[in-house]
Amino acid sequence: MTAKTRVGVLTGGGDCPGLNAAIRAVVRSGKADAEHAYDFIGFRDGWAGVVADETQELTLASTAGILHRGGTILGTSRTNPYAHGKDGTAAVKATLQRHHIEALVAIGGEDTLGVALHLHNDGIPVVGIPKTIDNDLGGTDATIGFDTAVQIVTDAIDRLHSTAESHNRVMVVEVMGRHAGWIAVQAGMAGGADAILVPERRFDIEEVCTHLRRRHERGRSFSVVVVAEGAIPAQGTMHTVQGTGKDAFGHERLGGIGVTLEREIEQRTGFETRATILGHIQRGGTPTAADRVLATRLGVGAMQAVAAGHFGKMLGIHAGKVVEVPLADALREPKLLDPALYETAVLFFG
Ligand code: F6P
């Protein structure tokens, strides 16, 4: 690449703690590269900012002091430049040409990086950084935001344990996890959950209730049930409410299965039951140390990929090392739970 290379940066999809750490790492490591002397332009609100040409300068000064801050200084959205048959590539190309941008770093989950792959296939130089609290992206052992979400949920389960015990109640904790139960299982294990329901395994409500009854027969007076928002009952076993609308990528808005479970468990077992939906609390606030370090390493890796001209790649972490994987491979299918991990959690259902 020639001297003074302009790089565009955006964050898309659901926000999560660690996005600012990634933005900072991209800018700081790029600015430290004396050979290329990069300049950075941030796009506002994900792909929306690229399509509408809404930008924000990213400098050493504007990215200072953000390492520990949750959210994203660039804003985000679930805008899909290809929605309703639109020619997203033409719109993106026009903006990049206007600003003489020679590379684009997209920080996002399956949808944002899906757009990045589409653009790459159309000849636009793009590199991806994986983030999603759901941890369901292929090509990486961990995504930015996941560790923080697990810690937030673990803290919540700890708190719910003491009130469950005081009242002899069943506490249902609904957590995020659309396709995969990573948060439910990791936080459920860390918090000592007595049952964990995940999208990967259809559950039978009667089996769950039998398990809770047996537990209580053995002298336990309370239980904690963790359920991922995307958990699905076995066919014909429990009626659930449909999602309340779709986003620009066609995903149903989830949430509420915890309330259905509260009612079903209370009616079937007679145990007093309460549901807590943790919702967007899981995506808010300061990132854990692990997420800050992951975001920093992936941000630095992204700029190394840009410098090497390795476009169409996503940075990932594998066996402790930062790796470059083709976006197409990372996005082929969601990364679902390791069955062995779930079986380990089951051993402690009590
Ligand atoms: O980003 C992933 C996620 O947190 C999912 O777990 C959840 O279903 C979804 O985002 C919620 O999205 P929104 O913030 O748009 O309601």
Side-chain angles (χ1 to χ4, degrees):
M1 279 202 182
T2 52
K4 273 284 169 207
T5 305
R6 257 192 175 180
V7 177
V9 183
L10 66 91
T11 52
D15 74 336
C16 69
L19 290 173
N20 286 326
I23 295 167
R24 167 184 176 270
V26 165
V27 174
R28 286 275 285 272
S29 64
K31 289 284 185 191
D33 181 337
E35 192 189 332
H36 297 96
Y38 291 107
D39 269 341
F40 293 91
I41 301 234
F43 288 104
R44 296 289 315 161
D45 303 333
W47 295 115
V50 188
V51 172
D53 196 0
E54 283 175 10
T55 62
Q56 167 179 336
E57 209 190 344
L58 288 175
T59 62
L60 287 175
S62 73
T63 56
I66 64 170
L67 173 62
H68 64 289
R69 275 173 54 192
T72 159
I73 58 165
L74 288 175
T76 187
S77 72
R78 294 196 184 276
T79 304
N80 178 0
Y82 297 101
H84 314 297
K86 279 189 239 141
D87 185 355
T89 301
V92 170
K93 228 178 216 167
T95 301
L96 298 188
Q97 278 172 357
R98 204 171 301 126
H99 294 283
H100 309 289
I101 287 173
E102 293 178 47
L104 194 55
V105 176
I107 308 170
E110 55 165 330
D111 298 327
T112 303
L113 297 186
V115 172
L117 174 60
H118 197 147
L119 292 169
H120 166 69
N121 290 338
D122 288 347
I124 291 180
V126 56
V127 167
I129 297 179
K131 70 83 226 175
T132 164
I133 66 163
D134 290 6
N135 195 35
D136 60 356
L137 266 172
T140 184
D141 294 345
T143 52
I144 298 169
F146 172 60
D147 186 72
T148 308
V150 168
Q151 191 57 55
I152 291 168
V153 176
T154 303
D155 291 345
I157 296 174
D158 286 348
R159 288 176 187 280
L160 290 166
H161 250 117
S162 63
T163 167
E165 194 166 6
S166 304
H167 284 268
N168 301 327
R169 281 174 173 160
V170 176
M171 288 294 187
V172 177
V173 191
E174 181 182 315
V175 303
M176 284 189 173
R178 174 179 289 284
H179 310 296
W182 290 104
I183 297 176
V185 167
Q186 296 270 67
M189 279 174 82
D194 305 302
I196 303 173
L197 311 179
V198 295
E200 292 89 338
R201 296 182 176 224
R202 305 247 156 163
F203 70 90
D204 181 332
I205 182 64
E206 200 39 51
E207 276 173 21
V208 174
C209 290
T210 302
H211 168 65
L212 296 178
R213 277 189 218 101
R214 288 210 187 110
R215 198 180 128 73
H216 288 222
E217 277 160 21
R218 285 198 301 270
R220 307 314 299 263
S221 60
F222 70 95
S223 296
V224 173
V225 177
V226 177
V227 58
E229 61 181 354
I232 306 167
Q235 211 177 358
T237 54
M238 190 179 104
H239 178 73
T240 49
V241 182
Q242 295 298 308
T244 50
K246 289 190 177 171
D247 67 20
F249 290 89
H251 300 304
E252 285 278 0
R253 190 187 295 181
L254 298 177
I257 192 165
V259 175
T260 309
L261 281 170
E262 172 192 282
R263 194 187 56 237
E264 291 282 339
I265 291 172
E266 190 164 282
Q267 279 174 3
R268 288 168 189 255
T269 63
F271 302 145
E272 205 180 352
T273 305
R274 293 288 187 274
T276 301
I277 302 177
L278 292 177
H280 291 80
I281 286 174
Q282 296 160 93
R283 296 216 315 239
T286 57
T288 57
D291 266 331
R292 296 180 203 191
V293 172
L294 176 65
T296 300
R297 293 180 72 192
L298 297 182
V300 170
M303 286 313 296
Q304 286 170 346
V306 168
H310 294 172
F311 296 113
K313 306 283 188 198
M314 184 191 85
L315 279 297
I317 194 92
H318 184 58
K321 297 253 182 281
V322 175
V323 291
E324 287 177 11
V325 290
L327 274 166
D329 291 353
L331 294 167
R332 193 152 292 127
E333 53 191 27
K335 181 182 69 192
L336 301 182
L337 269 180
D338 174 0
L341 180 70
Y342 188 82
E343 292 309 329
T344 304
V346 170
L347 292 177
F348 297 89
F349 282 0

